[in-house]
Amino acid sequence: MTKTEGRPRILRRVVLGAAALITVVCVGLLFAAIRNDEAITSHLGAANAEVDSVSWDRTIIRFDTPDGIVHIPANGVLYPGGLVAGALVRIEYDTGNPELARVAGRSATLTLLPLGTTILGTWAVAIGLLWLLRHRTRRMPPTPAEREPAMTAKP
């Protein structure tokens, strides 16, 4: 196998590997969201929380538990879509671990659309790249080493 023959094969494996990795991460995130929901539901506590800050990666809330302790989950609240700083929101939290909180009435089903879209988009790009690699590989002229020597007839 020459260098030019191996390159498309390596690129195909890289594209498939990246798409598979993104898919596995998305499925893992879905299972993590389901696990978090189950933990909250099994030890359900509810409270009113104030939204302290909203950024692209997390929404920080502050709430009191019945024992009078103020909790500010470091990782923010789960499923924060539509929240704004200063708003009051009803939350549900895991009484065994108040760091795990979600907006009341929201669940892991909210992750299906973004994760599904990510997986579909990833595979659409991967299939396009694989098609392009295959198309370009077929159009490549053979290298001189790959050409067959001309047949000559002996008299």
Side-chain angles (χ1 to χ4, degrees):
M1 175 173 31
T2 65
K3 221 180 212 186
T4 55
E5 288 174 347
R7 230 177 247 146
R9 180 180 295 153
I10 291 170
L11 288 174
R12 282 193 299 271
R13 287 182 179 173
V14 167
V15 168
L16 285 172
L21 179 64
I22 291 169
T23 301
V24 167
V25 168
C26 287
V27 170
L29 286 171
L30 176 62
F31 285 128
I34 291 168
R35 182 183 53 85
N36 286 339
D37 279 355
E38 287 174 357
I40 291 170
T41 303
S42 66
H43 300 102
L44 187 61
N48 290 321
E50 181 180 352
V51 178
D52 281 348
S53 68
V54 177
S55 63
W56 68 273
D57 64 339
R58 68 187 60 162
T59 299
I60 303 298
I61 60 168
R62 174 188 313 264
F63 66 96
D64 297 330
T65 52
D67 57 6
I69 298 174
V70 175
H71 294 278
I72 305 171
N75 292 324
V77 66
L78 300 174
Y79 324 119
L83 299 182
V84 294
L88 289 177
V89 63
R90 188 79 176 150
I91 61 144
E92 298 169 336
Y93 63 94
D94 179 354
T95 56
N97 176 16
E99 287 286 310
L100 187 57
R102 69 179 175 207
V103 175
R106 298 183 184 178
S107 68
T109 56
L110 291 174
T111 63
L112 292 175
L113 181 62
L115 292 177
T117 304
T118 301
I119 292 170
L120 287 174
T122 296
W123 283 102
V125 169
I127 289 168
L129 286 172
L130 291 170
W131 179 84
L132 184 66
L133 287 170
R134 183 178 173 106
H135 184 68
R136 288 187 67 197
T137 302
R138 285 185 173 182
R139 291 186 55 198
M140 285 181 159
T143 61
E146 296 170 342
R147 292 188 193 125
E148 293 184 32
M151 301 287 281
T152 54
K154 290 188 178 185

